[in-house]
Amino acid sequence: MANASMFRGRPALLLALTFCLGCAPRPSAPPGARPNLASVILQTPDDTRQVNFRNESSVGQRTVAATVAQAWGVLPAVLAQLEIEVASIDPGEAVMGNPGYRARRIEGERMSRYLDCGRSFGREYADHYAVTLAVQVQLVPSADGGTIVRTFLDAYARDQATSGSSVHCITRGSLERRVGELVAERLAS
């Protein structure tokens, strides 16, 4: 990996690197897949370097004061409120969610509130590209008798106007927190 001094005195190279980081094609992968690696080749008259980027899904969790069965009972209503289409249910593992669907809004909010898929000319890709979102919520008994609400999130966005590959989106962490909050709120009421 190159250090910052390598770019000193080369503003054009630094500008090109910044541009490449925002729009470099990344390999397409189905949501829920293992982390993958994308590469960008930087070439100058003096040197050629490969820069690797790791695409990962996000995991957020919150412990609630309820049994797994109680939390499981409110989970369908939580996902419905968030406009997450439930497509997979595994009661034995206490997992519910969707391994990949076309998301347009979450709880009435634009996708850019929850995801960073890049931007260009002030335009958030999360709001203008086709976003495939994978959300799985797992309930795990905690040591104190409560339940850990663990939310797995992964997303990809693709410009349907071009034949380019999908870009991996980075979560802002707010959806993972919101799932845990809503489970706690519904259990309290």
Side-chain angles (χ1 to χ4, degrees), residues 44-130:
T44 67
D46 306 325
D47 194 15
T48 300
R49 296 200 187 257
Q50 178 175 339
V51 179
N52 295 319
F53 304 95
R54 190 175 172 98
N55 294 333
E56 298 180 358
S57 58
S58 170
V59 180
Q61 64 183 35
R62 176 183 178 147
T63 302
V64 295
T67 66
V68 170
Q70 291 168 324
W72 183 258
V74 301
L75 194 52
V78 167
L79 295 176
Q81 180 175 337
L82 293 170
E83 301 173 53
I84 297 170
E85 304 167 10
V86 175
S88 66
I89 299 173
D90 183 348
E93 294 293 321
V95 176
M96 185 181 302
N98 194 314
Y101 73 103
R102 172 72 199 281
R104 290 180 177 79
R105 290 192 175 267
I106 297 174
E107 211 171 5
E109 298 288 335
R110 298 176 139 225
M111 297 304 294
S112 60
R113 177 175 179 190
Y114 300 98
L115 302 170
D116 181 355
C117 301
R119 68 193 59 72
S120 178
F121 303 108
R123 200 178 121 169
E124 294 279 345
Y125 294 154
D127 297 332
H128 298 283
Y129 281 16

Coordinates of all heavy atoms in Angstrom, one line a residue, residues 44-130:
T44 N 1.6 5.6 -13.0 CA 2.3 6.9 -13.2 C 3.5 6.6 -14.1 O 3.9 5.4 -14.3 CB 2.8 7.5 -11.9 OG1 3.8 6.7 -11.3 CG2 1.6 7.7 -10.9
P45 N 4.2 7.6 -14.6 CA 5.4 7.4 -15.4 C 6.5 6.6 -14.6 O 7.3 5.9 -15.1 CB 5.9 8.8 -15.8 CG 4.7 9.6 -15.7 CD 3.8 9.1 -14.7
D46 N 6.5 6.8 -13.2 CA 7.5 6.2 -12.4 C 7.1 4.8 -11.8 O 7.9 4.1 -11.3 CB 7.8 7.1 -11.2 CG 8.3 8.5 -11.8 OD1 8.9 8.6 -12.8 OD2 7.9 9.5 -11.1
D47 N 5.8 4.6 -11.7 CA 5.4 3.5 -10.8 C 4.0 3.0 -11.2 O 3.2 3.7 -11.8 CB 5.3 4.0 -9.4 CG 5.2 2.8 -8.4 OD1 5.5 1.7 -8.7 OD2 4.9 3.1 -7.2
T48 N 3.7 1.7 -11.0 CA 2.4 1.1 -11.1 C 2.0 0.4 -9.8 O 2.8 -0.4 -9.3 CB 2.4 0.1 -12.3 OG1 2.7 0.8 -13.5 CG2 1.0 -0.5 -12.5
R49 N 0.9 0.7 -9.3 CA 0.4 0.0 -8.1 C -1.0 -0.4 -8.2 O -1.8 0.2 -8.8 CB 0.6 1.0 -6.9 CG 2.0 1.4 -6.6 CD 2.0 2.0 -5.2 NE 3.4 2.5 -5.0 CZ 4.3 1.9 -4.3 NH1 4.1 0.7 -3.8 NH2 5.5 2.4 -4.1
Q50 N -1.3 -1.5 -7.5 CA -2.7 -2.0 -7.4 C -3.2 -1.6 -6.0 O -2.5 -1.9 -5.0 CB -2.7 -3.5 -7.6 CG -4.1 -4.0 -7.5 CD -4.1 -5.5 -7.9 OE1 -3.3 -6.0 -8.5 NE2 -5.2 -6.2 -7.4
V51 N -4.4 -1.0 -6.0 CA -5.1 -0.7 -4.7 C -6.3 -1.6 -4.6 O -7.1 -1.7 -5.5 CB -5.5 0.8 -4.6 CG1 -6.2 1.1 -3.3 CG2 -4.3 1.7 -4.9
N52 N -6.4 -2.3 -3.5 CA -7.5 -3.2 -3.2 C -8.5 -2.6 -2.3 O -8.1 -2.0 -1.3 CB -7.0 -4.6 -2.7 CG -6.1 -5.3 -3.7 OD1 -6.4 -5.3 -4.9 ND2 -5.0 -5.9 -3.2
F53 N -9.8 -2.9 -2.5 CA -10.9 -2.4 -1.7 C -11.7 -3.7 -1.3 O -12.0 -4.5 -2.1 CB -11.8 -1.4 -2.4 CG -11.1 -0.3 -2.9 CD1 -10.6 -0.2 -4.2 CD2 -10.8 0.8 -2.1 CE1 -9.9 0.9 -4.7 CE2 -10.1 1.9 -2.6 CZ -9.7 1.9 -3.9
R54 N -12.1 -3.7 -0.1 CA -12.9 -4.9 0.4 C -14.4 -4.4 0.6 O -14.6 -3.4 1.2 CB -12.3 -5.3 1.8 CG -12.9 -6.6 2.2 CD -12.1 -7.0 3.5 NE -12.7 -8.1 4.1 CZ -12.3 -9.4 4.0 NH1 -11.3 -9.6 3.3 NH2 -12.9 -10.3 4.6
N55 N -15.3 -5.2 -0.1 CA -16.7 -4.9 0.1 C -17.3 -5.9 1.1 O -17.1 -7.1 1.0 CB -17.4 -5.2 -1.3 CG -17.0 -4.2 -2.3 OD1 -16.6 -3.1 -2.0 ND2 -17.1 -4.6 -3.6
E56 N -17.9 -5.3 2.1 CA -18.4 -6.2 3.2 C -19.8 -5.8 3.5 O -20.3 -4.7 3.4 CB -17.6 -6.0 4.5 CG -16.1 -6.4 4.3 CD -15.3 -6.2 5.6 OE1 -15.9 -5.7 6.6 OE2 -14.2 -6.6 5.6
S57 N -20.6 -6.7 4.1 CA -21.9 -6.4 4.6 C -21.7 -5.9 6.0 O -20.7 -6.0 6.6 CB -22.8 -7.7 4.6 OG -22.2 -8.7 5.3
S58 N -22.8 -5.3 6.5 CA -22.8 -4.7 7.9 C -23.6 -5.6 8.8 O -24.6 -6.2 8.4 CB -23.3 -3.3 7.8 OG -23.5 -2.8 9.1
V59 N -23.2 -5.5 10.1 CA -24.0 -6.2 11.1 C -24.1 -5.2 12.3 O -23.2 -4.6 12.7 CB -23.2 -7.5 11.7 CG1 -24.0 -8.1 12.8 CG2 -22.9 -8.4 10.5
G60 N -25.4 -5.1 12.7 CA -25.7 -4.2 13.9 C -26.5 -5.0 14.9 O -27.2 -6.0 14.5
Q61 N -26.3 -4.7 16.1 CA -27.1 -5.5 17.1 C -27.4 -4.6 18.3 O -26.8 -3.6 18.6 CB -26.3 -6.7 17.6 CG -25.0 -6.5 18.3 CD -24.4 -7.9 18.6 OE1 -24.4 -8.8 17.8 NE2 -23.7 -7.9 19.7
R62 N -28.5 -5.1 19.0 CA -29.0 -4.5 20.2 C -29.6 -5.6 21.0 O -30.3 -6.5 20.5 CB -30.1 -3.4 19.8 CG -30.7 -2.8 21.0 CD -31.8 -1.9 20.6 NE -32.4 -1.3 21.9 CZ -32.9 -0.1 21.9 NH1 -32.9 0.7 20.9 NH2 -33.5 0.3 23.0
T63 N -29.4 -5.4 22.3 CA -30.0 -6.4 23.3 C -31.3 -5.8 23.8 O -31.4 -4.6 24.2 CB -29.1 -6.7 24.4 OG1 -27.8 -7.2 23.9 CG2 -29.6 -7.8 25.4
V64 N -32.4 -6.6 23.8 CA -33.7 -6.2 24.3 C -34.1 -7.1 25.5 O -33.6 -8.3 25.6 CB -34.8 -6.3 23.2 CG1 -34.5 -5.2 22.1 CG2 -35.0 -7.6 22.6
A65 N -34.9 -6.6 26.4 CA -35.3 -7.3 27.6 C -36.5 -8.1 27.3 O -37.6 -7.7 27.6 CB -35.5 -6.3 28.8
A66 N -36.3 -9.2 26.6 CA -37.5 -10.1 26.2 C -36.9 -11.4 25.8 O -35.7 -11.5 25.5 CB -38.3 -9.5 25.1
T67 N -37.7 -12.4 25.8 CA -37.3 -13.7 25.3 C -37.2 -13.7 23.8 O -37.8 -12.8 23.1 CB -38.2 -14.8 25.7 OG1 -39.5 -14.6 25.1 CG2 -38.4 -14.9 27.3
V68 N -36.6 -14.7 23.2 CA -36.5 -14.8 21.7 C -37.9 -15.0 21.2 O -38.3 -14.3 20.2 CB -35.6 -16.0 21.3 CG1 -35.8 -16.3 19.8 CG2 -34.2 -15.7 21.7
A69 N -38.8 -15.7 21.8 CA -40.2 -15.9 21.4 C -40.9 -14.6 21.4 O -41.7 -14.4 20.4 CB -40.9 -17.0 22.2
Q70 N -40.8 -13.8 22.4 CA -41.4 -12.5 22.4 C -41.0 -11.6 21.3 O -41.8 -10.9 20.6 CB -41.2 -11.8 23.8 CG -41.9 -12.6 24.9 CD -41.5 -12.1 26.3 OE1 -40.3 -11.7 26.5 NE2 -42.4 -12.0 27.2
A71 N -39.7 -11.5 21.1 CA -39.1 -10.7 20.0 C -39.5 -11.2 18.7 O -39.8 -10.4 17.8 CB -37.6 -10.6 20.2
W72 N -39.6 -12.5 18.5 CA -40.0 -13.2 17.3 C -41.4 -12.7 16.9 O -41.8 -12.5 15.8 CB -39.8 -14.7 17.3 CG -40.2 -15.4 16.1 CD1 -41.3 -16.1 15.8 CD2 -39.3 -15.6 14.9 NE1 -41.3 -16.6 14.6 CE2 -40.1 -16.3 14.0 CE3 -38.1 -15.1 14.6 CZ2 -39.5 -16.7 12.8 CZ3 -37.5 -15.5 13.4 CH2 -38.3 -16.2 12.5
G73 N -42.3 -12.6 18.0 CA -43.7 -12.2 17.8 C -43.9 -10.8 17.2 O -44.8 -10.6 16.5
V74 N -42.9 -9.9 17.5 CA -43.1 -8.5 17.0 C -42.3 -8.3 15.7 O -42.5 -7.3 15.0 CB -42.7 -7.5 18.1 CG1 -43.6 -7.6 19.3 CG2 -41.2 -7.5 18.4
L75 N -41.4 -9.2 15.4 CA -40.5 -9.0 14.2 C -41.2 -8.8 12.9 O -40.8 -7.9 12.1 CB -39.4 -10.1 14.1 CG -38.3 -9.8 13.2 CD1 -37.5 -8.5 13.6 CD2 -37.3 -11.0 13.4
P76 N -42.3 -9.5 12.6 CA -43.0 -9.3 11.3 C -43.5 -7.9 11.2 O -43.4 -7.2 10.1 CB -44.1 -10.3 11.3 CG -43.6 -11.4 12.2 CD -42.8 -10.7 13.2
A77 N -44.1 -7.3 12.3 CA -44.6 -6.0 12.3 C -43.5 -4.9 12.1 O -43.7 -3.9 11.4 CB -45.4 -5.7 13.5
V78 N -42.3 -5.2 12.7 CA -41.2 -4.3 12.6 C -40.7 -4.2 11.1 O -40.6 -3.1 10.5 CB -40.0 -4.7 13.5 CG1 -38.7 -4.0 13.1 CG2 -40.4 -4.5 14.9
L79 N -40.6 -5.4 10.5 CA -40.1 -5.4 9.1 C -41.2 -4.8 8.2 O -40.8 -4.1 7.2 CB -39.8 -6.8 8.7 CG -38.6 -7.4 9.4 CD1 -38.4 -8.9 9.0 CD2 -37.3 -6.6 9.2
A80 N -42.5 -5.0 8.5 CA -43.5 -4.4 7.6 C -43.5 -2.9 7.8 O -43.6 -2.1 6.8 CB -44.9 -4.9 8.1
Q81 N -43.2 -2.3 9.0 CA -43.1 -0.9 9.2 C -42.0 -0.3 8.4 O -42.1 0.8 7.9 CB -43.0 -0.6 10.7 CG -42.9 0.9 10.9 CD -42.9 1.3 12.4 OE1 -43.3 0.5 13.3 NE2 -42.3 2.4 12.7
L82 N -40.9 -1.1 8.3 CA -39.7 -0.6 7.6 C -39.8 -0.8 6.1 O -38.9 -0.5 5.3 CB -38.5 -1.3 8.1 CG -38.1 -0.9 9.5 CD1 -37.0 -1.8 10.1 CD2 -37.7 0.5 9.6
E83 N -40.9 -1.4 5.6 CA -41.2 -1.7 4.2 C -40.2 -2.7 3.6 O -39.8 -2.7 2.5 CB -41.2 -0.4 3.4 CG -42.2 0.6 3.8 CD -42.1 1.9 3.1 OE1 -42.1 1.9 1.9 OE2 -42.1 2.9 3.8
I84 N -39.8 -3.7 4.5 CA -38.9 -4.7 4.1 C -39.7 -6.0 3.8 O -40.4 -6.5 4.7 CB -37.8 -5.0 5.2 CG1 -36.9 -3.8 5.4 CG2 -37.0 -6.3 4.8 CD1 -36.0 -3.9 6.6
E85 N -39.7 -6.4 2.6 CA -40.5 -7.5 2.2 C -39.9 -8.8 2.7 O -38.8 -9.2 2.4 CB -40.6 -7.7 0.6 CG -41.1 -6.4 -0.1 CD -40.8 -6.4 -1.6 OE1 -40.3 -7.5 -2.1 OE2 -40.9 -5.4 -2.2
V86 N -40.7 -9.5 3.6 CA -40.2 -10.7 4.2 C -40.3 -11.9 3.2 O -41.4 -12.2 2.7 CB -41.0 -11.1 5.5 CG1 -40.5 -12.4 6.0 CG2 -40.8 -10.0 6.5
A87 N -39.2 -12.5 2.8 CA -39.1 -13.6 1.9 C -38.5 -14.8 2.4 O -38.6 -15.9 1.8 CB -38.4 -13.1 0.6
S88 N -37.9 -14.7 3.6 CA -37.3 -15.9 4.2 C -37.5 -15.9 5.7 O -37.3 -14.9 6.3 CB -35.7 -16.0 3.9 OG -35.1 -14.9 4.5
I89 N -38.0 -17.0 6.2 CA -38.3 -17.2 7.6 C -37.7 -18.5 8.0 O -38.0 -19.6 7.4 CB -39.8 -17.2 7.8 CG1 -40.4 -15.8 7.4 CG2 -40.1 -17.4 9.3 CD1 -41.9 -15.7 7.5
D90 N -36.9 -18.5 9.0 CA -36.3 -19.8 9.6 C -36.6 -19.7 11.1 O -35.7 -19.2 11.8 CB -34.8 -19.9 9.3 CG -34.2 -21.2 9.8 OD1 -34.9 -21.9 10.5 OD2 -33.1 -21.5 9.4
P91 N -37.7 -20.3 11.5 CA -38.0 -20.2 13.0 C -37.0 -21.0 13.8 O -36.8 -20.6 14.9 CB -39.4 -20.9 13.1 CG -39.9 -21.0 11.7 CD -38.8 -20.9 10.8
G92 N -36.4 -22.1 13.3 CA -35.5 -22.9 14.0 C -34.2 -22.1 14.4 O -33.7 -22.2 15.5
E93 N -33.8 -21.2 13.5 CA -32.6 -20.4 13.7 C -33.0 -19.0 14.2 O -32.1 -18.1 14.4 CB -31.7 -20.3 12.5 CG -31.1 -21.6 12.1 CD -30.1 -22.1 13.1 OE1 -29.3 -21.3 13.6 OE2 -30.0 -23.3 13.3
A94 N -34.3 -18.7 14.2 CA -34.8 -17.4 14.6 C -34.3 -16.3 13.6 O -33.8 -15.2 14.1 CB -34.6 -17.0 16.0
V95 N -34.4 -16.6 12.3 CA -33.9 -15.6 11.3 C -35.1 -15.3 10.4 O -35.8 -16.1 9.9 CB -32.8 -16.2 10.5 CG1 -32.4 -15.2 9.3 CG2 -31.6 -16.5 11.3
M96 N -35.3 -13.9 10.1 CA -36.3 -13.5 9.3 C -35.8 -12.3 8.4 O -35.0 -11.5 9.0 CB -37.5 -13.0 10.1 CG -38.8 -12.6 9.3 SD -40.1 -12.1 10.4 CE -40.4 -13.5 11.5
G97 N -36.2 -12.2 7.2 CA -35.8 -11.1 6.4 C -36.0 -11.3 4.9 O -36.9 -12.1 4.5
N98 N -35.1 -10.7 4.1 CA -35.1 -10.9 2.7 C -33.7 -10.9 2.2 O -32.9 -10.0 2.5 CB -35.9 -9.7 2.0 CG -36.2 -10.0 0.6 OD1 -35.4 -10.5 -0.2 ND2 -37.5 -9.7 0.2
P99 N -33.3 -12.0 1.5 CA -31.9 -12.1 1.0 C -31.6 -11.2 -0.2 O -30.5 -11.2 -0.6 CB -31.8 -13.6 0.6 CG -33.2 -14.0 0.3 CD -34.1 -13.2 1.2
G100 N -32.6 -10.5 -0.7 CA -32.3 -9.6 -1.8 C -33.5 -9.2 -2.5 O -34.2 -10.0 -3.2
Y101 N -33.9 -7.9 -2.4 CA -35.1 -7.4 -3.1 C -34.8 -6.0 -3.6 O -33.9 -5.3 -3.1 CB -36.3 -7.5 -2.2 CG -36.4 -6.4 -1.1 CD1 -37.1 -5.3 -1.2 CD2 -35.6 -6.6 0.1 CE1 -37.2 -4.3 -0.2 CE2 -35.6 -5.6 1.1 CZ -36.4 -4.5 0.9 OH -36.4 -3.6 1.9
R102 N -35.6 -5.5 -4.5 CA -35.5 -4.2 -5.0 C -36.1 -3.2 -4.1 O -37.4 -3.2 -3.9 CB -36.2 -4.1 -6.4 CG -36.3 -2.7 -7.0 CD -34.9 -2.1 -7.4 NE -34.9 -0.7 -7.6 CZ -35.4 0.0 -8.6 NH1 -36.0 -0.6 -9.5 NH2 -35.3 1.3 -8.6
A103 N -35.3 -2.4 -3.4 CA -35.8 -1.5 -2.4 C -35.9 -0.1 -3.0 O -35.0 0.3 -3.7 CB -34.9 -1.5 -1.2
R104 N -37.0 0.6 -2.7 CA -37.2 2.0 -3.1 C -37.2 3.0 -2.0 O -36.6 4.0 -2.1 CB -38.5 2.1 -3.9 CG -38.4 1.3 -5.3 CD -39.7 1.4 -6.1 NE -39.5 0.8 -7.4 CZ -39.6 -0.5 -7.6 NH1 -39.8 -1.3 -6.6 NH2 -39.5 -1.0 -8.8
R105 N -37.8 2.6 -0.9 CA -37.9 3.4 0.3 C -37.9 2.5 1.5 O -38.3 1.4 1.5 CB -39.1 4.3 0.3 CG -39.1 5.4 -0.8 CD -40.2 6.4 -0.5 NE -40.0 7.5 -1.5 CZ -39.4 8.6 -1.3 NH1 -38.8 8.8 -0.1 NH2 -39.3 9.6 -2.2
I106 N -37.5 3.1 2.6 CA -37.5 2.4 3.9 C -38.2 3.4 4.9 O -37.7 4.5 5.1 CB -36.1 2.0 4.4 CG1 -35.4 1.1 3.5 CG2 -36.2 1.5 5.8 CD1 -34.0 0.7 3.8
E107 N -39.3 2.9 5.4 CA -40.1 3.7 6.3 C -40.4 5.1 5.7 O -40.4 6.1 6.4 CB -39.4 3.8 7.7 CG -40.3 3.9 8.9 CD -39.7 3.8 10.2 OE1 -38.4 3.8 10.3 OE2 -40.4 3.8 11.2
G108 N -40.7 5.1 4.4 CA -41.0 6.3 3.7 C -39.9 7.2 3.4 O -40.0 8.2 2.7
E109 N -38.7 6.8 3.8 CA -37.5 7.7 3.6 C -36.7 7.2 2.3 O -36.7 6.0 2.0 CB -36.5 7.6 4.8 CG -37.1 8.1 6.1 CD -37.3 9.6 6.1 OE1 -36.5 10.3 5.4 OE2 -38.1 10.1 6.8
R110 N -36.0 8.2 1.7 CA -35.1 7.8 0.6 C -34.0 6.9 1.0 O -33.6 6.9 2.1 CB -34.5 9.1 0.0 CG -35.6 10.1 -0.5 CD -34.9 11.3 -1.0 NE -35.6 11.7 -2.2 CZ -35.0 12.1 -3.3 NH1 -33.7 12.3 -3.4 NH2 -35.7 12.4 -4.4
M111 N -33.5 6.1 0.1 CA -32.5 5.1 0.4 C -31.2 5.8 0.8 O -30.5 5.2 1.6 CB -32.3 4.2 -0.9 CG -33.5 3.4 -1.3 SD -34.1 2.3 0.0 CE -32.8 1.2 0.2
S112 N -30.9 7.0 0.4 CA -29.7 7.6 0.8 C -29.6 7.9 2.3 O -28.5 8.2 2.8 CB -29.4 8.9 -0.1 OG -30.5 9.8 0.2
R113 N -30.7 7.9 2.9 CA -30.7 8.1 4.4 C -30.0 6.9 5.1 O -29.4 7.0 6.1 CB -32.1 8.3 4.9 CG -32.1 8.4 6.5 CD -33.4 8.7 7.0 NE -33.3 8.8 8.5 CZ -34.4 8.8 9.3 NH1 -35.6 8.9 8.8 NH2 -34.2 8.9 10.5
Y114 N -30.1 5.7 4.4 CA -29.6 4.5 5.0 C -28.3 4.0 4.4 O -27.6 3.3 5.0 CB -30.7 3.4 5.0 CG -31.9 3.8 5.7 CD1 -33.0 4.4 5.1 CD2 -32.0 3.7 7.1 CE1 -34.2 4.7 5.8 CE2 -33.1 4.1 7.8 CZ -34.2 4.6 7.1 OH -35.3 5.0 7.8
L115 N -28.1 4.3 3.1 CA -27.0 3.8 2.3 C -26.2 4.9 1.6 O -26.8 5.9 1.2 CB -27.6 2.8 1.2 CG -28.4 1.6 1.7 CD1 -29.0 1.0 0.5 CD2 -27.5 0.7 2.5
D116 N -24.9 4.6 1.5 CA -24.1 5.4 0.6 C -23.6 4.6 -0.5 O -22.8 3.6 -0.3 CB -22.9 6.0 1.4 CG -22.0 6.9 0.6 OD1 -22.2 7.0 -0.6 OD2 -21.0 7.4 1.2
C117 N -24.1 4.8 -1.7 CA -23.8 4.0 -2.9 C -22.9 4.8 -3.8 O -22.7 4.4 -5.0 CB -25.0 3.5 -3.6 SG -26.1 2.5 -2.6
G118 N -22.4 6.0 -3.3 CA -21.6 6.9 -4.2 C -22.5 8.0 -4.7 O -23.7 8.1 -4.5
R119 N -21.9 9.0 -5.3 CA -22.6 10.1 -5.9 C -21.8 10.7 -7.0 O -20.6 10.5 -7.1 CB -22.9 11.2 -4.8 CG -21.7 11.9 -4.2 CD -21.9 12.6 -3.0 NE -22.4 11.9 -1.8 CZ -21.6 11.0 -1.1 NH1 -20.4 10.8 -1.5 NH2 -22.1 10.4 -0.1
S120 N -22.5 11.5 -7.8 CA -21.9 12.2 -8.9 C -22.7 13.4 -9.2 O -24.0 13.4 -9.3 CB -21.9 11.3 -10.2 OG -21.4 12.0 -11.3
F121 N -22.0 14.6 -9.3 CA -22.7 15.8 -9.6 C -23.9 16.1 -8.6 O -24.9 16.5 -9.0 CB -23.1 15.9 -11.0 CG -22.0 15.7 -12.0 CD1 -21.9 14.5 -12.7 CD2 -21.0 16.7 -12.1 CE1 -20.9 14.3 -13.6 CE2 -20.0 16.5 -13.0 CZ -19.9 15.3 -13.7
G122 N -23.7 15.8 -7.3 CA -24.7 16.1 -6.3 C -25.8 15.1 -6.3 O -26.8 15.3 -5.6
R123 N -25.7 14.1 -7.1 CA -26.8 13.1 -7.2 C -26.4 11.8 -6.5 O -25.4 11.2 -6.8 CB -27.0 12.8 -8.7 CG -28.2 12.1 -9.1 CD -28.2 12.0 -10.6 NE -28.4 10.5 -10.8 CZ -28.7 10.0 -11.9 NH1 -28.7 10.7 -13.0 NH2 -28.8 8.7 -12.0
E124 N -27.2 11.4 -5.5 CA -27.0 10.2 -4.7 C -27.4 9.0 -5.5 O -28.6 8.9 -5.8 CB -27.8 10.3 -3.4 CG -27.3 11.4 -2.4 CD -26.1 11.0 -1.6 OE1 -25.8 9.8 -1.6 OE2 -25.5 11.9 -1.0
Y125 N -26.5 8.1 -5.7 CA -26.8 6.9 -6.5 C -27.9 6.0 -5.7 O -28.7 5.4 -6.4 CB -25.6 6.0 -6.7 CG -24.6 6.7 -7.6 CD1 -23.2 6.3 -7.5 CD2 -24.9 7.6 -8.6 CE1 -22.3 6.8 -8.4 CE2 -23.9 8.2 -9.4 CZ -22.6 7.8 -9.3 OH -21.7 8.4 -10.1
A126 N -27.9 6.1 -4.4 CA -28.9 5.3 -3.7 C -30.3 5.7 -4.0 O -31.2 4.9 -3.9 CB -28.6 5.4 -2.2
D127 N -30.5 6.9 -4.4 CA -31.8 7.4 -4.7 C -32.2 7.3 -6.2 O -33.3 7.4 -6.5 CB -31.9 8.9 -4.3 CG -31.8 9.1 -2.8 OD1 -32.1 8.2 -2.0 OD2 -31.3 10.2 -2.4
H128 N -31.1 7.1 -7.0 CA -31.4 7.1 -8.5 C -31.1 5.8 -9.2 O -31.5 5.6 -10.3 CB -30.6 8.3 -9.1 CG -31.0 9.6 -8.6 ND1 -32.2 10.2 -9.0 CD2 -30.5 10.5 -7.7 CE1 -32.3 11.4 -8.4 NE2 -31.3 11.6 -7.6
Y129 N -30.4 5.0 -8.5 CA -30.0 3.7 -9.1 C -31.0 2.6 -8.6 O -31.7 2.8 -7.6 CB -28.6 3.2 -8.7 CG -27.5 3.9 -9.5 CD1 -27.7 5.0 -10.2 CD2 -26.2 3.3 -9.4 CE1 -26.6 5.5 -10.9 CE2 -25.2 3.9 -10.1 CZ -25.4 5.0 -10.9 OH -24.3 5.5 -11.5
A130 N -31.1 1.5 -9.2 CA -31.8 0.3 -8.7 C -31.0 -0.3 -7.6 O -30.0 -0.8 -7.8 CB -32.1 -0.7 -9.8

